[in-house]
Amino acid sequence: MSLSRLCALFVASFFATVSLHAATLLHYYPFTTALSDAVGSDNGTLFGSASLSGGAVDTTGGYVQFDTHLVPTSGSYSVLLSAKPEMVVLIPQSM
């Protein structure tokens, strides 16, 4: 059997065994006026000096806490984090 035929057979076999599942959006936090989950019901709470302003969360001197796991505890998932470049602080690591 030639290598190209073997590769074609493998590709056909691979695609035949893969099952696709529709993605489901579990949480969405627009950070407009509160830490409200716009899709689900897992809202966050600010503690300490953490604040919410201009569509961003500032956790300087504080933190955000959620009552439940935001990501599934089994199976696969994807996370998308959007950050404004001017709000990212890089901390150099010492060697």
Side-chain angles (χ1 to χ4, degrees):
M1 185 178 292
S2 71
L3 182 60
S4 61
R5 182 171 167 83
L6 182 62
C7 288
L9 182 60
F10 171 74
V11 169
S13 170
F14 176 75
F15 283 115
T17 59
V18 171
S19 62
L20 300 177
H21 300 282
T24 302
L25 183 60
L26 300 176
H27 309 289
Y28 173 65
Y29 300 92
F31 302 132
T32 50
T33 57
L35 290 173
S36 300
D37 186 350
V39 174
S41 60
D42 295 322
N43 301 324
T45 304
L46 296 170
F47 286 93
S49 311
S51 62
L52 179 65
S53 176
V57 177
D58 182 355
T59 57
T60 304
Y63 62 96
V64 176
Q65 181 174 323
F66 297 90
D67 291 334
T68 61
H69 291 282
L70 294 182
V71 295
T73 55
S74 64
S76 60
Y77 60 89
S78 297
V79 175
L80 172 66
L81 172 67
S82 177
K84 295 179 180 180
E86 63 272 11
M87 300 188 83
V88 174
V89 177
L90 299 177
I91 301 171
Q93 295 181 356
S94 60
M95 300 299 269

